Amino acid sequence: MMGSFSLMHWMVVLVLVLLLFGAGKLPSVMGDLAKGVKSFKSGLKDEDEPPGKALS
């Protein structure tokens, strides 16, 4: 099947990520990714506010 990933594919991806970033650096990379997602979501939320509302 094209497009579907088995458990073996995900294990290979996990091993490659661990080799690239190392086990100690991985939590900080994930933390930075989470901060980026939160910042992106807050940016989208700011765009939804009406333009007449004062920004603080």
Side-chain angles (χ1 to χ4, degrees), residues 9-41:
H9 288 110
W10 289 114
M11 294 297 287
V12 170
V13 169
L14 179 63
V15 168
L16 288 175
V17 167
L18 286 175
L19 286 174
L20 288 174
F21 295 109
K25 196 173 183 181
L26 198 58
S28 66
V29 170
M30 287 298 162
D32 292 342
L33 181 66
K35 287 179 187 176
V37 170
K38 285 181 184 178
S39 175
F40 179 73
K41 285 183 179 181

